Amino acid sequence: MTSSKHSSSRGHCTLVGAGPGDPELLTLKALKAIQTATVLLVDDLVSDEIVAFAKPGARIVHVGKRGGCKSTPQEFIEKLMIMAVREGENVVRLKGGDPFIFGRGGEEVEHLQAAGIEVTVVNGITAGLAAVTSLGVPLTHRQHAHGVVFVTGHAKPGDEGTDWRMLAETAFKAKLTLVIYMGVSGAGRIQNELLTGLPATTPVAVIQNATLANQRHIATTLGELAQAISDSVLASPSVIVVGDVVSGIAAATEHPAQFKTA
């Protein structure tokens, strides 16, 4: 019993945002956490280049969670974290994007704290921001968008999910950009619901594998969204961005030498 208490006091867990994929977009704090971890629980969307920063001898456990694919149960991941910390390990839960933006970080913090475990969270650049930045357009603009809404297109079983009609009406009246995560598989339904409050001519961009070498994107309109996704064969992981700010993508595409990301 004494040994168990001692191990628990030494163990620690950090939820780390690995960003959208490009290893150069890691924060210094995230890099330090990865390099000092003894156990890393790694999501599917974290690139191999980022996992390679782990120190020799660190135990790396892949706990994939991706919509539409077979996933490691969330309860099992939480049990792994708790067990490793109680064994005195320095645990890093490595997530794509940011842990607190559709990364289930809130659920994991609650479970860890309920088990008496100290938790630290290190933010990462979320894919919705990195995706449009890679195309040379902002999410907010004084002339085109007074705010931005991050929303998921995927609801858990038994949950009615987002009220797209109300969101469309609000976005139109308040001039908001909509950033939709995990929305490709339900693009037809989302399109039809948003068209109740937004014009069919509203610009839309869909960006797949943001910041990675195999990044692809399309620029279309809300009225053509589902068909454009089907024609381009874009799939997850992709981000859908809806709003007037996206109209700038055409200009960035025509003059690529005038813009490049860091």
Side-chain angles (χ1 to χ4, degrees), residues 83-222:
M83 288 173 56
V85 171
R86 286 178 173 169
E87 291 169 358
E89 302 285 2
N90 181 8
V91 179
V92 161
R93 175 77 169 96
L94 194 54
K95 299 170 171 287
D98 182 274
F100 279 179
I101 299 183
F102 307 121
R104 304 197 186 189
E107 298 174 34
E108 293 176 357
V109 166
E110 290 172 359
H111 280 84
L112 290 163
Q113 290 179 338
I117 291 172
E118 182 182 355
V119 189
T120 302
V121 178
V122 178
N123 294 118
I125 295 175
T126 187
L129 175 59
V132 292
T133 299
S134 71
L135 299 179
V137 297
L139 286 177
T140 62
H141 190 291
R142 288 192 298 174
Q143 294 179 342
H144 304 299
H146 297 162
V148 58
V149 175
F150 294 97
V151 61
T152 176
H154 177 75
K156 68 179 182 179
D159 190 333
E160 293 183 2
T162 302
D163 187 337
W164 296 104
R165 295 186 175 219
M166 181 176 291
L167 184 59
E169 182 179 350
T170 302
F172 181 74
K173 291 180 178 178
K175 297 182 70 172
L176 303 176
T177 304
L178 303 181
V179 180
I180 305 169
Y181 292 67
M182 299 169 280
V184 169
S185 62
R189 174 180 58 85
I190 293 171
Q191 171 189 322
N192 291 336
E193 294 291 298
L194 289 180
L195 283 171
T196 63
L198 288 169
T201 54
T202 303
V204 178
V206 184
I207 307 97
Q208 179 181 8
N209 295 321
T211 77
L212 297 175
N214 60 342
Q215 174 177 315
R216 299 172 58 217
H217 79 275
I218 56 171
T220 183
T221 63
L222 184 57

Side-chain angles (χ1 to χ4, degrees), residues 37-105:
T38 58
V39 174
L40 293 98
L41 304 180
V42 183
D43 270 352
D44 264 354
L45 297 180
V46 178
S47 67
D48 292 339
E49 292 82 359
I50 290 175
V51 177
F53 287 125
K55 68 180 181 180
R59 182 156 60 99
I60 298 171
V61 183
H62 292 276
V63 288
K65 294 197 75 63
R66 184 178 297 195
C69 301
K70 187 176 181 180
S71 298
T72 305
Q74 183 66 26
E75 296 80 6
F76 181 70
I77 295 173
E78 289 160 0
K79 286 181 180 178
L80 282 179
M81 287 191 287
I82 292 170
M83 288 173 56
V85 171
R86 286 178 173 169
E87 291 169 358
E89 302 285 2
N90 181 8
V91 179
V92 161
R93 175 77 169 96
L94 194 54
K95 299 170 171 287
D98 182 274
F100 279 179
I101 299 183
F102 307 121
R104 304 197 186 189

Side-chain angles (χ1 to χ4, degrees), residues 233-254:
V233 201
L234 287 180
S236 296
S238 294
V239 176
I240 302 172
V241 184
V242 181
D244 288 342
V245 292
V246 179
S247 60
I249 290 178
T253 303
E254 291 173 7

